Amino acid sequence: MKFRPLLSLTLASALLPAALFAEEKPAAPEGMVFIPGGTYTRGEDRSLGGTARYPEEKPVHQVTVSSFFIDQTEVTNAQFAKFVEETGYQTQAERGFTKEDFPNAPEDQLKAGALVFKAPDGDVEKWQPGAEWQWWQFIPGADWRHPLGPDSNIDDKMDHPVVNVTKEDAEAYCKWAGKRLPTEAEWERAARGEKDHTLFVWGDKPKPDADNWPANTFQGEFPQKNTALDGHAGSAAVKSYPANDFGLYDMAGNVWEICSDVFRPDYYQKFIENPVDDPKGPPLEQAITQPETQQFANGQPIPDEVEVFHPLARLWVTKGGSFLCHHTYCLRYRPAARHYAESLSPTNHTGFRCVKDIPQ
């Protein structure tokens, strides 16, 4: 597919539905939804107001994906528990690390656990480098069964998304379930539904219904005060908020969802030079680590290949935002938004959902 200039958004919106729904709709497996193949507008270059700046979402371009099935909801604790019961699988957060993996690391950095959000006691400076460590803490004993630490549990959260999992954990579950992780392009296609290039899954208005919140996000003053006006200070049970056009839940907010693509903030710039249908992201040898994301944020180019000190330090695309996204700090509960997960650091606001190929 050769790159072509964008159609006007009005014309594109008028043409898309007929093309997208022309093919016959096959029956989806239980708990999944059929997503028709088609072309959509990916990325965002409009002003989001305030301090919101997301250069990794540019340039805006068109992407074509084939049809696929996708889970109607994020994978829940109940579903993950069944997987673990049948396989005996242990997540990275449960295993911890070994001296063989990291021979120079202190013992306390090899412990099993995960990063957990902890609201600071008072006002903090949010914009300085490393500011996030004022509200993220590594908690030994935090894992998918104990999302906030060893004294917490999921007894009343079996219908909540599983969290504190890595890309490798998610892939293990997908393989057991006969599925796979979505590509970034597939995930965004599914999230947008019948709406092309709107700011949010539900349209362009941040809150279209004055009486109801459209997604599980952070209200109040981030990060120190969550007023939980949407009814949830943390994760919510799946299906707590309205579904999108395709009948998918939590494509905005609740928990970040891991995709199969390597994350590079400069990927879209490279993609438009050589666009392809059904893109799968950058090749593995172009994987980067967290320092390169700061390099990009400072306006410096990232080398095509970066020396990654350990495979678990690679960054993988996450989409959809989480219950910690706030319009003044992390306006990433938008379909165009891009972020990342690092397998060295499972977190209590990151989960996943699966996709499945259409039988030929």
Side-chain angles (χ1 to χ4, degrees):
M1 170 179 135
K2 297 296 184 183
F3 179 67
R4 53 189 180 277
L6 283 173
L7 297 169
S8 73
L9 294 183
T10 301
L11 178 59
S13 298
L15 294 179
L16 276 170
L20 292 178
F21 295 99
E23 70 178 296
E24 185 177 349
K25 182 178 179 180
E30 183 179 0
M32 304 192 82
V33 171
F34 170 71
I35 306 299
T39 300
Y40 69 93
T41 305
R42 184 166 71 167
E44 187 55 73
D45 58 4
R46 288 172 285 188
S47 173
L48 301 173
T51 56
R53 300 288 184 275
Y54 302 105
E56 68 275 6
E57 299 173 15
K58 301 176 184 178
V60 173
H61 55 283
Q62 290 185 308
V63 172
T64 299
V65 296
S66 302
S67 303
F68 58 98
F69 299 120
I70 188 168
D71 287 347
Q72 192 174 33
T73 71
E74 295 148 332
V75 172
T76 65
N77 285 318
Q79 292 170 315
F80 201 79
K82 183 178 180 183
F83 156 64
V84 170
E85 180 181 359
E86 292 189 10
T87 64
Y89 183 85
Q90 277 196 315
T91 63
Q92 181 64 63
E94 293 172 289
R95 295 193 305 269
F97 304 101
T98 67
K99 277 291 186 181
E100 287 72 22
D101 278 326
F102 303 101
N104 299 321
E107 288 292 339
D108 63 338
Q109 294 185 17
L110 300 175
K111 292 180 179 179
L115 289 176
V116 174
F117 174 81
K118 295 285 187 180
D121 293 332
D123 294 345
V124 296
E125 169 52 57
K126 295 187 295 230
W127 303 108
Q128 63 189 18
E132 63 273 16
W133 296 114
Q134 297 170 98
W135 55 84
W136 284 106
Q137 296 180 25
F138 177 78
I139 305 295
D143 54 42
W144 73 274
R145 287 189 178 93
H146 310 93
L148 301 179
D151 296 330
S152 65
N153 61 66
I154 55 172
D155 293 349
D156 62 347
K157 294 181 173 60
M158 297 308 289
D159 55 356
H160 286 227
V162 65
V163 295
N164 289 336
V165 290
T166 66
K167 189 213 182 219
E168 292 76 17
D169 299 332
E171 285 182 324
Y173 175 93
C174 289
K175 183 177 181 181
W176 168 81
K179 303 177 184 179
R180 61 176 173 82
L181 286 174
T183 64
E184 179 178 15
E186 289 172 331
W187 193 100
E188 187 168 335
R189 167 76 183 101
R192 290 191 175 279
E194 298 176 28
K195 297 177 176 65
D196 189 56
H197 205 240
T198 54
L199 284 176
F200 301 98
V201 170
W202 50 83
D204 284 323
K205 293 182 178 179
K207 191 182 177 193
D209 182 347
D211 296 326
N212 296 290
W213 292 88
N216 183 14
T217 57
F218 193 109
Q219 295 88 48
E221 298 178 36
F222 184 86
Q224 66 270 26
K225 184 181 180 181
N226 189 348
T227 56
L229 294 178
D230 61 1
H232 301 93
S235 68
V238 298
K239 299 187 178 182
S240 293
Y241 296 82
N244 76 350
D245 294 334
F246 287 148
L248 303 174
Y249 294 88
D250 296 315
M251 299 304 280
N254 216 14
V255 299
W256 284 101
E257 299 184 18
I258 301 168
C259 296
S260 61
D261 300 38
V262 164
F263 175 81
R264 284 187 65 108
D266 58 356
Y267 171 56
Y268 288 179
Q269 299 171 4
K270 297 175 182 295
F271 177 81
I272 65 169
E273 297 171 4
N274 185 31
V276 295
D277 292 351
D278 294 312
K280 294 178 172 58
L284 186 61
E285 58 267 22
Q286 291 186 9
I288 63 170
T289 61
Q290 287 201 39
E292 285 75 50
T293 65
Q294 188 59 49
Q295 185 175 322
F296 179 83
N298 292 335
Q300 302 169 5
I302 304 174
D304 280 346
E305 295 189 21
V306 173
E307 186 174 350
V308 177
F309 67 91
H310 192 279
L312 293 178
R314 294 176 181 133
L315 303 185
W316 304 98
V317 170
T318 55
K319 297 285 282 184
S322 80
F323 59 83
L324 293 178
C325 282
H326 188 275
H327 70 279
T328 66
Y329 181 74
C330 181
L331 187 55
R332 287 194 172 101
Y333 51 95
R334 299 171 292 107
R338 315 179 65 225
H339 204 42
Y340 57 84
E342 178 195 57
S343 296
L344 286 175
S345 306
T347 65
N348 76 311
H349 73 332
T350 301
F352 66 101
R353 77 178 72 211
C354 312
V355 300
K356 192 177 180 70
D357 294 323
I358 304 291
Q360 299 299 315

